[in-house]
Amino acid sequence: METNRERARTVLVAGVRGLGLAIVSLGGSLTLFVLGVVSLVLVPFGVGLITTPWVLAGVRAHADRRRLLASQWCGVRIPPAYRPVPPGARPWTRTLHLLRDPATWRDLRWLPVDMVAGFVTALVPAALVFYPLEGFALAFGLWRVFTDGTYVGWWYGFVPVSGQGSALLAGLLGVGILVASYFFTPALLRVHFLLTRSLLAPGQGELAERVRVLTETRRDAVDGSAAELRRIERDLHDGAQARLVAMGMDLGTIEALLEKNPAKARELLARARQSSAEALDELRDLVRGIHPPVLAERGLGDAVRALALRMPVPTEASAELGGGRADAPVESAAYFAVSEVLTNAVKHSGADRIWVDMRYVDGALRVSVTDNGRGGAVVGGGSGLSGVERRLGTFDGVLAVSSPAGGPTMVTMEIPCVLS
């Protein structure tokens, strides 16, 4: 059972979160809505063909971030239903694909509602927590700043403050609001996310939309598996197989030279031993690329820590998975998604520090990768993050990217799963 101290902390955190959401709802949604409208208007003139994919990528990242916060803070699940964008598509094709996606228009319709109703529903829980402070300040003498006691100099709620007596009434009203916040603030914050879900979640035809998205993500998984199989075949043919064939030829030559030229035979034998060692190393690297042994033996947390140790940039990894393990396909997807994000950070961010945080919360595995680089990372345009998004989509996972110019960059991944 929740104690009074824990409840008070929950209420305070909900108020702070509501204040932050109010700022983001008003500023972020307003900015993205204006940019979206301007970009769409410019599509017939050609300029919008270039700007629209970037603007819509920002809108999706904004919406995905709200989905993650809804799940993390209030347990409100808002499933994404975006159609995968073909990699390497030309600007015109990419723009048309995005505009034909019903989820795009849901996001755009959500923006004006979020900057008005979303702002209000986020501000109310924050006001319940922080507005009483003004009432207390008035009761303790702040009223003298607004009046000398002969006229109404300030209104606190419905209380006209004109002297110490009315200021004390304002303080009592503040107490009442604070008591109300104790009971209602977390629930009111949940109302904000329920409003978001009503606009972002698929409505009519949800089942058909869900089947379509699952079909596309499964197809991406099959295509990815086929591409991975071709890569393995190519690596085997060009690497270990070639070395083993050469080693077999050397052994045949050694057999013929054992009696005629023992010195030459010893030289070839040393070369064959070296080839066998190199072939074994290549086979180990190949197996590690398919499914790292440490992942199978010790689980996702230790596997990612081992991955962090191999990074050329100092990388810290922490994991709080409750001692359980997800299914092997989920662990594999999460591991290679983290590996891809880390590789992108090392190659493109210019960061000198990276942090990886893994947690299991509310029935989902959440992984955040943060770097202190230059920022500017986006999903789409054939970037590695698009592949990560497709990989996670196979498991109904969500990818959100926060990467303002100048950094830092934070990539958050969430995969619904059950730990055993």
Side-chain angles (χ1 to χ4, degrees), residues 36 49 117 123 139 168 173 231 233 245 328 337 395 399 406-407 420:
L49 296 178
L123 187 62
L168 290 175
L173 178 59
R231 182 190 68 81
E233 292 174 344
V245 170
F395 301 90
L399 174 74
S420 58

Short mmCIF file of all heavy atoms in Angstrom, two decimals, residues 36 49 117 123 139 168 173 231 233 245 328 337 395 399 406-407 420:
data_model
loop_
_atom_site.label_atom_id
_atom_site.label_comp_id
_atom_site.label_asym_id
_atom_site.label_seq_id
_atom_site.Cartn_x
_atom_site.Cartn_y
_atom_site.Cartn_z
N GLY A 36 4.59 21.91 -40.70
CA GLY A 36 3.90 20.93 -41.52
C GLY A 36 2.99 21.57 -42.54
O GLY A 36 2.98 21.18 -43.71
N LEU A 49 8.62 18.88 -51.59
CA LEU A 49 9.06 17.50 -51.80
C LEU A 49 10.30 17.18 -50.99
O LEU A 49 10.51 16.04 -50.55
CB LEU A 49 9.35 17.26 -53.30
CG LEU A 49 8.16 17.36 -54.25
CD1 LEU A 49 8.63 17.15 -55.67
CD2 LEU A 49 7.11 16.33 -53.88
N ALA A 117 -5.99 21.63 -26.33
CA ALA A 117 -6.54 20.76 -25.29
C ALA A 117 -5.43 20.00 -24.56
O ALA A 117 -5.50 19.80 -23.34
CB ALA A 117 -7.53 19.77 -25.92
N LEU A 123 -1.53 21.22 -18.16
CA LEU A 123 -1.31 22.33 -17.25
C LEU A 123 -2.12 22.19 -15.96
O LEU A 123 -1.68 22.62 -14.89
CB LEU A 123 -1.66 23.65 -17.94
CG LEU A 123 -1.33 24.94 -17.19
CD1 LEU A 123 0.18 25.05 -16.96
CD2 LEU A 123 -1.85 26.16 -17.95
N ALA A 139 -0.83 34.85 1.74
CA ALA A 139 -1.18 34.81 3.15
C ALA A 139 -0.03 35.25 4.04
O ALA A 139 -0.26 35.83 5.12
CB ALA A 139 -1.62 33.39 3.53
N LEU A 168 -5.55 35.68 3.94
CA LEU A 168 -5.66 34.41 4.66
C LEU A 168 -6.67 33.49 3.98
O LEU A 168 -6.48 32.26 3.93
CB LEU A 168 -6.06 34.66 6.11
CG LEU A 168 -4.98 35.32 6.99
CD1 LEU A 168 -5.54 35.63 8.37
CD2 LEU A 168 -3.75 34.40 7.09
N LEU A 173 -7.73 28.75 0.50
CA LEU A 173 -8.04 28.20 -0.82
C LEU A 173 -6.86 27.41 -1.37
O LEU A 173 -7.03 26.34 -1.98
CB LEU A 173 -8.42 29.32 -1.78
CG LEU A 173 -8.73 28.88 -3.23
CD1 LEU A 173 -9.89 27.89 -3.25
CD2 LEU A 173 -9.04 30.11 -4.10
N ARG A 231 24.33 -12.73 -46.68
CA ARG A 231 25.60 -12.22 -46.13
C ARG A 231 26.43 -13.34 -45.53
O ARG A 231 27.65 -13.40 -45.74
CB ARG A 231 25.30 -11.17 -45.05
CG ARG A 231 26.56 -10.53 -44.45
CD ARG A 231 26.23 -9.69 -43.24
NE ARG A 231 25.79 -10.48 -42.12
CZ ARG A 231 26.62 -11.12 -41.29
NH1 ARG A 231 27.94 -11.08 -41.49
NH2 ARG A 231 26.15 -11.82 -40.27
N GLU A 233 26.34 -16.54 -46.34
CA GLU A 233 26.86 -17.36 -47.44
C GLU A 233 28.04 -16.67 -48.11
O GLU A 233 29.05 -17.32 -48.44
CB GLU A 233 25.74 -17.61 -48.46
CG GLU A 233 24.62 -18.51 -47.95
CD GLU A 233 23.48 -18.60 -48.94
OE1 GLU A 233 23.42 -17.75 -49.85
OE2 GLU A 233 22.64 -19.51 -48.78
N VAL A 245 39.97 -24.25 -48.30
CA VAL A 245 40.38 -24.84 -49.59
C VAL A 245 41.89 -24.70 -49.78
O VAL A 245 42.59 -25.64 -50.18
CB VAL A 245 39.61 -24.19 -50.74
CG1 VAL A 245 40.21 -24.60 -52.09
CG2 VAL A 245 38.14 -24.57 -50.69
N ALA A 328 14.31 -15.39 -26.76
CA ALA A 328 15.56 -15.24 -27.52
C ALA A 328 15.41 -14.30 -28.71
O ALA A 328 16.30 -13.47 -28.95
CB ALA A 328 16.05 -16.62 -27.97
N ALA A 337 19.78 -4.04 -32.28
CA ALA A 337 19.33 -2.66 -32.37
C ALA A 337 20.28 -1.73 -31.59
O ALA A 337 20.67 -0.67 -32.08
CB ALA A 337 17.91 -2.54 -31.83
N PHE A 395 8.43 -6.72 -33.65
CA PHE A 395 7.97 -7.12 -32.32
C PHE A 395 7.05 -6.06 -31.71
O PHE A 395 6.91 -5.98 -30.49
CB PHE A 395 9.17 -7.35 -31.39
CG PHE A 395 10.11 -8.41 -31.89
CD1 PHE A 395 11.19 -8.08 -32.71
CD2 PHE A 395 9.91 -9.74 -31.56
CE1 PHE A 395 12.06 -9.06 -33.17
CE2 PHE A 395 10.77 -10.73 -32.02
CZ PHE A 395 11.85 -10.38 -32.83
N LEU A 399 10.45 3.19 -31.71
CA LEU A 399 11.73 3.91 -31.69
C LEU A 399 11.44 5.40 -31.65
O LEU A 399 10.63 5.90 -32.43
CB LEU A 399 12.56 3.57 -32.93
CG LEU A 399 13.85 4.37 -33.12
CD1 LEU A 399 14.91 3.89 -32.14
CD2 LEU A 399 14.37 4.24 -34.55
N GLY A 406 23.36 20.38 -32.08
CA GLY A 406 24.29 20.63 -30.99
C GLY A 406 24.26 19.57 -29.92
O GLY A 406 25.08 19.60 -29.01
N GLY A 407 23.29 18.63 -30.04
CA GLY A 407 23.22 17.51 -29.12
C GLY A 407 22.56 17.88 -27.80
O GLY A 407 22.13 19.02 -27.59
N SER A 420 10.98 -14.13 -18.34
CA SER A 420 10.80 -15.44 -17.70
C SER A 420 11.89 -15.66 -16.64
O SER A 420 12.91 -14.99 -16.65
CB SER A 420 10.88 -16.55 -18.73
OG SER A 420 12.11 -16.52 -19.43
#
